[in-house]
C-alpha cells in the first residue's frame, strides 16, 4: 500500500483518471490519503478523513511512508481557521492555505509536510467546538459561489459546505448528502431541531440531493447558487428572493 499527502492548496478529485473528468471533490493542503491504484500520471486515492475515493494528478501530491501516515492518524487534528492564509517553505516560497486545510505536526508556528518545514502564522483550530459554534463558522462561507465538488469559500457544493463546517467544529461528516443522511438521529419535526442540525432534501425520485444547516427562527444556511440564508418550513426551503419553494424537505437530523 502506498500513501500520500497533499502539498498544494487545492487539488481536484476526479471521477475518472483524466483532466476533463468530472470533479467530485477536492483535496486540501495537508490532507493525507491511501493510494489504491496508479495509472500513468494518475493515482486513485482514498482520503483518510472520510474514505472518499477518486483520481488525482500524480504530480499534485507527495508520497509519504506508512509510518508518517500512521503518525498523522494518531496526532492531534489541527486545521487552518482563516479564509485564506500562507505558509512559507524553506525556499521562502508562498503556499496558499485555504480555510479547513490540515496542518500536520503543527508546532510553534511550524508545520511539516514530509521532508519540508513550513512557517505558518495563521489562526488554527484544534479542539471540538460547541454546537452553537456551527452556525457561526458556517457564516465564514456566506456568499461563496456554488461549485460541484468544491470544499472551500472559493467554490463549494452543499455537502462540501456542511462537511467542512462540521470538520472545523471537530466532527466528521461523510462527503455526499446521501451519505451524511445516514448519520445522526432523526427528528420528527422542525420544532425539535436546534441551530446546527442538518436538514436533507430530496428530488422527485425520492433521492436525497441537498443538505443545509438549520439556524434559529426557521432559517437555513445552504448552497444554492451561492451559500445563502433562506426560510425553512415543513414543505422545504422557501427562497426569500423568489418567494418560491426550491427544495422539498425529506428529513432533519441531529448529528451532535
Amino acid at each position: 500500500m502506498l500513501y500520500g499527502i497533499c502539498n498544494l492548496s487545492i487539488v481536484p478529485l476526479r471521477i475518472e483518471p483524466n483532466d476533463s473528468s468530472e470533479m467530485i471533490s477536492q483535496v486540501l493542503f495537508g490532507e493525507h490519503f491511501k493510494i489504491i491504484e496508479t495509472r500513468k500520471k494518475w493515482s486513485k486515492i482514498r482520503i483518510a478523513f472520510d474514505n472518499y475515493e477518486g483520481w488525482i494528478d500524480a504530480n499534485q501530491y507527495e508520497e509519504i511512508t506508512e509510518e508518517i501516515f500512521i503518525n498523522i492518524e494518531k496526532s492531534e487534528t489541527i486545521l487552518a481557521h482563516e479564509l485564506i492564509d500562507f505558509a512559507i517553505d524553506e525556499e521562502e516560497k508562498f503556499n496558499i492555505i485555504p480555510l479547513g486545510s490540515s496542518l500536520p505536526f503543527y508546532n510553534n508556528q511550524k508545520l511539516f509536510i514530509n521532508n519540508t518545514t513550513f512557517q505558518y502564522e495563521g489562526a488554527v483550530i484544534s479542539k471540538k467546538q460547541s454546537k452553537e459554534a456551527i452556525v457561526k463558522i458556517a457564516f465564514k462561507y456566506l456568499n461563496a459561489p456554488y461549485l460541484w465538488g468544491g470544499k472551500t469559500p472559493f467554490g463549494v457544493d452543499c455537502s462540501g459546505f456542511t462537511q467542512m463546517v462540521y470538520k472545523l467544529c471537530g466532527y466528521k461528516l461523510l462527503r455526499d448528502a446521501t451519505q451524511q443522511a445516514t448519520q445522526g438521529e432523526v427528528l420528527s419535526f422542525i420544532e425539535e431541531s436546534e441551530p446546527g442540525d442538518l436538514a436533507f432534501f430530496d428530488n422527485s425520485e425520492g433521492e436525497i440531493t441537498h443538505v443545509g444547516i438549520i439556524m434559529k427562527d426557521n432559517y437555513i444556511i445552504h448552497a444554492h447558487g451561492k451559500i445563502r440564508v433562506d426560510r425553512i418550513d415543513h414543505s422545504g426551503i422557501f427562497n426569500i428572493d423568489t418567494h418560491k419553494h426550491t427544495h422539498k424537505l425529506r428529513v432533519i437530523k441531529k448529528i451532535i
Side-chain angles (χ1 to χ4, degrees), residues 75-137:
S75 65
E76 180 183 28
T77 299
I78 300 178
L79 303 173
H81 205 235
E82 295 287 354
L83 286 178
I84 188 168
D85 221 312
F86 300 91
I88 305 172
D89 67 18
E90 295 153 342
E91 298 178 354
E92 298 189 348
K93 294 178 181 177
F94 282 80
N95 296 264
I96 298 171
I97 310 295
L99 178 66
S101 295
S102 299
L103 306 175
F105 310 121
Y106 178 83
N107 184 41
N108 195 26
Q109 298 184 332
K110 285 182 169 45
L111 58 104
F112 305 92
I113 300 286
N114 216 5
N115 295 317
T116 304
T117 301
F118 294 85
Q119 185 73 26
Y120 180 77
E121 298 179 2
V124 301
I125 187 168
S126 60
K127 296 180 181 178
K128 279 192 174 182
Q129 305 298 299
S130 67
K131 188 173 182 179
E132 290 71 25
I134 292 174
V135 172
K136 182 178 179 181
I137 289 177

Side-chain angles (χ1 to χ4, degrees), residues 18-160:
N18 62 75
D19 288 312
S20 60
S21 176
E22 172 189 353
M23 184 178 78
I24 53 174
S25 192
Q26 293 173 324
V27 189
L28 303 188
F29 183 92
E31 288 196 285
H32 62 294
F33 45 83
K34 293 180 180 179
I35 301 166
I36 55 180
E37 187 179 345
T38 57
R39 290 189 201 171
K40 294 183 179 179
K41 60 165 286 190
W42 293 93
S43 298
K44 188 174 186 180
I45 68 168
R46 181 182 298 127
I47 298 173
F49 179 76
D50 57 10
N51 289 324
Y52 208 64
E53 295 182 5
W55 293 87
I56 63 173
D57 189 315
N59 294 315
Q60 295 184 323
Y61 70 89
E62 281 190 55
E63 285 194 17
I64 58 176
T65 64
E66 181 179 16
E67 180 183 8
I68 291 175
F69 182 92
I70 292 171
N71 286 338
I72 293 174
E73 290 283 278
K74 291 179 178 178
S75 65
E76 180 183 28
T77 299
I78 300 178
L79 303 173
H81 205 235
E82 295 287 354
L83 286 178
I84 188 168
D85 221 312
F86 300 91
I88 305 172
D89 67 18
E90 295 153 342
E91 298 178 354
E92 298 189 348
K93 294 178 181 177
F94 282 80
N95 296 264
I96 298 171
I97 310 295
L99 178 66
S101 295
S102 299
L103 306 175
F105 310 121
Y106 178 83
N107 184 41
N108 195 26
Q109 298 184 332
K110 285 182 169 45
L111 58 104
F112 305 92
I113 300 286
N114 216 5
N115 295 317
T116 304
T117 301
F118 294 85
Q119 185 73 26
Y120 180 77
E121 298 179 2
V124 301
I125 187 168
S126 60
K127 296 180 181 178
K128 279 192 174 182
Q129 305 298 299
S130 67
K131 188 173 182 179
E132 290 71 25
I134 292 174
V135 172
K136 182 178 179 181
I137 289 177
F139 267 78
K140 285 179 174 283
Y141 292 84
L142 190 64
N143 291 320
Y146 181 88
L147 175 65
W148 180 266
K151 288 172 44 176
T152 78
F154 307 102
V156 65
D157 62 25
C158 66
S159 56

Side-chain angles (χ1 to χ4, degrees), residues 168-186:
L168 284 160
C169 288
Y171 301 93
K172 284 191 176 184
L173 281 183
L174 297 175
R175 179 59 180 88
D176 294 334
T178 51
Q179 297 173 323
Q180 293 176 9
T182 66
Q183 300 177 255
E185 172 191 349
V186 174

